[in-house]
Amino acid sequence: MEIPFIVNVRKDTGLINSKVGIWLFLASEVTLFGGLFSGYLFLRLYADYPWPERALPVLPGLINTFVLIGSSVTVVFAWAALKMREWRKFQIYMSITLVCALIFMALKGIEYKAKFGHQAVQIDGDGPVQGHEIVEGHVHYAELDKDGQIHEVDKERKKEDGVFSANRIAFKASELSFVLTRPSHEAYVKEILKQAGDSHTITLKEAYRVINEDELYKGDLNRTELLESENALIADAGAELSTDVLDDLEDAYLDARSHDRKVRTKFLAASWDWIRDEEGIDEAATYVIEMDLWKERRKEDGEKLKIVTLGPVAEVTFTIDPPLTLVLKPGDLVKVSDVDIKLRDDTVAKGEMLPSPIIMGVDALDFRHTAQRAEAEELDPFPVIEQTWLLTHKAHHGDEEEGHDADHRNEFKKIWDCHMAWLKAETARLKTKGREPSMNDKFRVNWDQIIAYRDVNEELEYDAKMVYEYASDPDDDLVLYSSGLFDLKGFAGANHNEFDFPHLEIPRNKVGFESTFTPRWNTYYAIYFTITGLHGLHVIGGALVLGYYLFFGRKMYDSNPEWLANRVEIGGLFWHFVDLVWIFLFPILYLM
Amino acid sequence: MAGSIEEVQKAKRLYMFIGLLLFFFTVVTVAVATVESLDFGGHGFDKVDAIIGLSIAAFKASLVMIIFMHLNHERPLVYFVYILGIVMAFFCIALIGWAKDDPIRYGNPNASDGFYNPDKPATRSVH
């Protein structure tokens, strides 16, 4: 079929049809991104936590801006080359455009990867305003020792069997209860069996029985006898846990439940018919259920139902012998207590919680939320911060190593003291310009500050006095890596391979909320991933279309070059739009 | 739209110039956000920085639309569709105006209007 008006313009619109099409599409795209920017604005204006201002490393975003603008120029040059019938030039410009798309996506990948590997923990604190200090960093690695205790291991061993991220929860389970209404246990059962290996047996605690439907209707046995009968047995006590066994139990339960539901519905219908005949009414059920007669009838029904339903038990319990230490991701658990945990599939494990600290290298301290809450309570934020768990806890680690913590103050208190010294100097400096330090300056210690505070001292000790001297000396300012925009050491944020960050072990009962920098952490990262993810998909889509013109366009160029030029113009319009969205995204996400 | 070869040749110089202009304003955007002596308004990010940053972005976006997307010489239909898109986008953003009247309350019930009140932040339940 021939498509009309793709080379010559239509008289009434004055345009080629494909241009009308692309502009309609772009208008819908403007609306789509407009809605998302609106979402961003809403989340930011009504955020109930300090919004992460200028939280992303600028350099990758800046390079990506250059790359996209550059590709916008080359794509329009590629179109111009086709207009002038220069195939070779078209190939070159279009190839550059595609390389730009590739660079853009690669940088996006690096950024995303840094976010996925970056951990944040909100601590359940001891201060007057509880639980709002945040530490950021990289989780270390750990394994279970013979006694089932979590022990940190070297980073080099991270790929070994039995080594896991040191944010897992260790729980010594002696009993597991599965809920049979949820037919989705498979993944967890497999994981538990894998961790149990051959050294633990997981067996059904009590026989699981469901009354057999056929026997029920014969009516020559009472319910106790029915339950004891051979046909009622689904799995005997001592049956080993497997997905098959659990499937059998689930099937038996669900069949019986569906039988019971049918019976109940029949009873309800019969009762309804009865009361209608009895009372001669056909009113709404809400009216009927208030009648004493109806209530009486339903009570009688209830007694009868006890006899004619199968009444399956919805929960089965397995015992673990000897008790097994389960190591689980925090995200797999919906409830954690000292004696039981609940998995996402509602499976409950009973036993004993083991010390499951989060062990991490800390690259930022964030007291902004604490300060915000303190100010709301009309408290001076600084003394409140001094009382938080992070600054007051006794460090267990590092004491022995190289006399690091010889003076029993924890490392984070020292960092905070350095920060206060820096802030004092910085406040004085800004005052000469008639300015004040920002909320970020005051209450957030960034990774480059942590490094700089330590590096001023040749012994690599945190030394508040020296920090103050350096910071207040105009000739000898602190070297902050992020202020050197083009320092590649912090290209995608704190670089844990390059720098040694202070070690922190957070006991599980001090962990308020923990997450990597994904949408789970806060609404900023939710909208960040939504908008940049959608934008990234547009880049990929646009690159595929432009790539098609480059690699499969020659035939059309030979037969109808003007048509190809028009196609490239249409693809180019989309590409410019992708650039346009990024022009807004870059300042909004990276600089504001 | 540039139709003849001469026009296209001439337009190429313009595209190059606009590209460089966009690069330049990108640098300006970063500079006003990161260089202290160019930080307008108060210290750190504030309203003034937001206005400047978004104004530059809007200017850059206009350049892309007018020159690269040929909106400087288009047919009326394109303008109509384009304005329709912009109006819709503004409508989406204006929806926030109604947010204040949203009956769904969250956060601190003591907050004056049911929304987040910086003087009385919502408490986050931590078990």
Side-chain angles (χ1 to χ4, degrees):
Chain A
M1 189 185 82
E2 196 168 335
I3 312 163
F5 306 112
I6 41 175
V7 176
N8 300 315
V9 297
R10 229 178 106 125
K11 268 199 185 123
D12 50 356
T13 61
L15 295 161
I16 51 170
N17 275 354
S18 39
K19 194 174 247 184
V20 177
I22 192 74
W23 272 106
L24 279 172
F25 175 62
L26 290 184
S28 76
E29 291 272 271
V30 169
T31 312
L32 170 66
F33 278 95
L36 287 171
F37 279 114
S38 162
Y40 169 87
L41 204 61
F42 179 80
L43 292 175
R44 181 162 187 163
L45 290 178
Y46 297 109
D48 61 351
Y49 61 97
W51 192 255
E53 271 168 29
R54 300 182 179 172
L56 306 174
V58 175
L59 191 53
L62 178 63
I63 297 176
N64 268 349
T65 312
F66 282 137
V67 163
L68 272 196
I69 292 174
S71 71
S72 252
V73 176
T74 53
V75 85
V76 83
F77 269 52
W79 165 77
L82 278 185
K83 275 279 185 189
M84 296 194 284
R85 307 285 181 266
E86 295 170 321
W87 174 255
R88 190 81 203 137
K89 275 192 180 169
F90 162 75
Q91 277 183 313
I92 293 169
Y93 288 131
M94 202 47 118
S95 304
I96 299 173
T97 309
L98 292 181
V99 169
C100 284
L102 212 65
I103 295 173
F104 184 91
M105 289 316 290
L107 281 174
K108 205 83 267 168
I110 292 172
E111 270 185 73
Y112 275 19
K113 193 168 169 260
K115 299 277 166 294
F116 294 149
H118 204 190
Q119 176 85 19
V121 182
Q122 181 197 314
I123 292 170
D124 225 354
D126 293 330
V129 183
Q130 301 233 332
H132 288 84
E133 73 259 37
I134 289 163
V135 288
E136 299 170 11
H138 275 205
V139 170
H140 288 181
Y141 295 92
E143 65 177 357
L144 282 183
D145 63 14
K146 273 180 224 152
D147 309 325
Q149 301 284 332
I150 287 183
H151 263 277
E152 191 179 348
V153 299
D154 225 33
K155 198 177 163 188
E156 278 74 50
R157 291 183 52 201
K158 67 177 178 183
K159 293 231 166 104
E160 282 178 28
D161 265 354
V163 174
F164 46 82
S165 288
N167 65 347
R168 302 274 166 103
I169 288 170
F171 186 83
K172 197 165 196 177
S174 51
E175 232 178 66
L176 282 173
S177 300
F178 293 94
V179 180
L180 297 178
T181 48
R182 297 269 311 252
S184 57
H185 300 298
E186 196 174 335
Y188 286 119
V189 170
K190 279 185 178 163
E191 177 64 26
I192 290 166
L193 288 174
K194 194 179 137 200
Q195 293 195 18
D198 298 331
S199 49
H200 300 264
T201 55
I202 306 176
T203 49
L204 194 60
K205 195 176 177 187
E206 284 165 11
Y208 187 74
R209 293 168 179 276
V210 179
I211 294 172
N212 187 284
E213 201 182 316
D214 300 333
E215 287 187 359
L216 180 73
Y217 291 123
K218 277 185 207 156
D220 43 4
L221 292 171
N222 69 33
R223 287 183 72 83
T224 327
E225 288 168 329
L226 281 171
L227 261 179
E228 291 303 321
S229 92
E230 209 174 294
N231 285 336
L233 185 70
I234 309 298
D236 211 347
E240 282 203 27
L241 175 69
S242 69
T243 47
D244 287 345
V245 167
L246 218 50
D247 280 349
D248 290 347
L249 298 179
E250 265 166 13
D251 288 348
Y253 170 79
L254 292 174
D255 286 350
R257 190 178 71 169
S258 110
H259 165 270
D260 285 3
R261 280 181 176 172
K262 274 180 209 150
V263 173
R264 280 202 190 90
T265 311
K266 261 187 208 163
F267 264 69
L268 194 62
S271 300
W272 176 250
D273 287 344
W274 173 79
I275 198 146
R276 200 171 48 188
D277 296 345
E278 197 78 0
E279 291 286 307
I281 50 163
D282 197 6
E283 296 286 334
T286 46
Y287 166 67
V288 171
I289 57 169
E290 283 178 9
M291 286 172 54
D292 289 338
L293 200 61
W294 170 257
K295 281 183 191 162
E296 226 168 83
R297 168 76 187 209
R298 293 300 296 152
K299 211 169 158 190
E300 279 169 32
D301 284 355
E303 291 303 314
K304 282 184 205 156
L305 274 167
K306 276 184 193 162
I307 305 166
V308 292
T309 48
L310 305 174
V313 182
E315 199 178 272
V316 285
T317 304
F318 288 79
T319 27
I320 309 177
D321 187 45
L324 162 70
T325 302
L326 289 169
V327 179
L328 299 158
K329 289 180 193 161
D332 286 338
L333 302 170
V334 288
K335 189 191 148 210
V336 179
S337 85
D338 287 341
V339 288
D340 58 4
I341 52 170
K342 196 180 207 177
L343 298 174
R344 265 181 189 279
D345 65 349
D346 286 352
T347 301
V348 173
K350 286 197 174 132
E352 179 198 352
M353 182 78 183
L354 299 175
S356 315
I358 294 184
I359 306 167
M360 60 197 282
V362 173
D363 58 36
L365 315 180
D366 198 333
F367 291 105
R368 284 181 301 166
H369 208 170
T370 314
Q372 195 185 51
R373 302 240 337 131
E375 277 165 3
E377 302 284 327
E378 292 173 0
L379 297 167
D380 181 2
F382 291 102
V384 170
I385 290 169
E386 295 279 348
Q387 288 173 57
T388 54
W389 175 84
L390 187 63
L391 301 189
T392 51
H393 75 278
K394 292 257 187 314
H396 302 292
H397 275 252
D399 299 38
E400 309 88 347
E401 294 166 26
E402 303 153 27
H404 247 320
D405 278 1
D407 65 350
H408 298 295
R409 284 186 307 158
N410 78 45
E411 227 170 1
F412 299 94
K413 171 72 176 139
K414 292 181 200 168
I415 294 172
W416 184 248
D417 288 345
C418 289
H419 185 67
M420 287 296 98
W422 171 81
L423 186 61
K424 200 176 148 195
E426 178 74 357
T427 310
R429 189 183 68 81
L430 287 171
K431 210 174 172 185
T432 59
K433 299 179 178 180
R435 292 182 166 190
E436 280 177 11
S438 66
M439 184 99 169
N440 264 352
D441 292 339
K442 284 195 228 168
F443 301 116
R444 189 181 154 85
V445 190
N446 264 326
W447 70 269
D448 52 340
Q449 286 170 299
I450 292 179
I451 298 300
Y453 295 159
R454 195 192 55 191
D455 285 357
V456 290
N457 183 315
E458 280 175 15
E459 312 262 301
L460 298 183
E461 292 264 356
Y462 294 105
D463 186 340
K465 261 188 195 165
M466 285 190 80
V467 168
Y468 182 73
E469 277 168 28
Y470 266 85
S472 47
D473 185 351
D475 301 326
D476 213 356
D477 210 355
L478 282 182
V479 179
L480 296 182
Y481 287 98
S482 63
S483 61
L485 190 63
F486 298 102
D487 198 312
L488 293 178
K489 278 176 185 166
F491 182 67
N495 187 337
H496 283 248
N497 297 323
E498 190 75 33
F499 303 105
D500 199 14
F501 285 102
H503 182 280
L504 177 65
E505 201 171 309
I506 312 167
R508 186 58 58 173
N509 62 1
K510 288 287 167 214
V511 177
F513 182 69
E514 58 91 41
S515 168
T516 47
F517 282 80
T518 48
R520 185 170 179 252
W521 177 235
N522 59 29
T523 48
Y524 172 77
Y525 287 99
I527 197 74
Y528 163 81
F529 278 108
T530 308
I531 303 189
T532 58
L534 188 66
H535 178 262
L537 287 177
H538 277 71
V539 172
I540 295 172
L544 285 176
V545 172
L546 296 180
Y548 176 78
Y549 299 152
L550 173 64
F551 297 115
F552 301 100
R554 181 73 214 192
K555 214 168 137 192
M556 184 181 275
Y557 178 75
D558 291 337
S559 62
N560 193 345
E562 194 57 22
W563 187 6
L564 184 65
N566 283 345
R567 278 188 152 196
V568 169
E569 189 189 3
I570 301 305
L573 279 174
F574 177 75
W575 194 253
H576 295 311
F577 172 78
V578 172
D579 180 24
L580 208 134
V581 171
W582 185 255
I583 284 175
F584 283 104
L585 273 184
F586 172 60
I588 287 175
L589 292 176
Y590 292 77
L591 302 172
M592 289 182 185
Chain B
M1 187 195 321
S4 69
I5 289 180
E6 294 78 41
E7 278 176 89
V8 171
Q9 194 66 39
K10 218 169 113 190
K12 269 172 78 174
R13 250 171 280 152
L14 178 67
Y15 298 145
M16 202 66 201
F17 173 69
I18 296 299
L20 292 175
L21 214 56
L22 290 171
F23 279 149
F24 172 72
F25 277 106
T26 305
V27 175
V28 172
T29 311
V30 175
V32 292
T34 54
V35 179
E36 199 182 312
S37 50
L38 295 174
D39 182 8
F40 297 96
H43 178 64
F45 173 76
D46 56 16
K47 268 183 197 161
V48 182
D49 296 303
I51 291 167
I52 292 175
L54 288 176
S55 306
I56 299 174
F59 177 67
K60 282 165 68 184
S62 312
L63 285 182
V64 171
M65 287 186 293
I66 293 167
I67 308 297
F68 288 160
M69 297 171 91
H70 303 143
L71 278 186
N72 49 353
H73 37 53
E74 247 332 330
R75 312 297 300 188
L77 182 65
V78 170
Y79 293 123
F80 173 73
V81 172
Y82 166 68
I83 289 166
L84 193 73
I86 297 286
V87 168
M88 290 294 282
F90 271 101
F91 175 72
C92 285
I93 292 169
L95 283 175
I96 297 177
W98 277 287
K100 280 251 173 205
D101 300 327
D102 198 321
I104 300 168
R105 300 164 78 87
Y106 77 96
N108 190 342
N110 299 325
S112 57
D113 56 359
F115 277 98
Y116 169 64
N117 175 347
D119 298 331
K120 288 178 183 170
T123 40
R124 190 172 197 168
S125 64
V126 180
H127 52 257

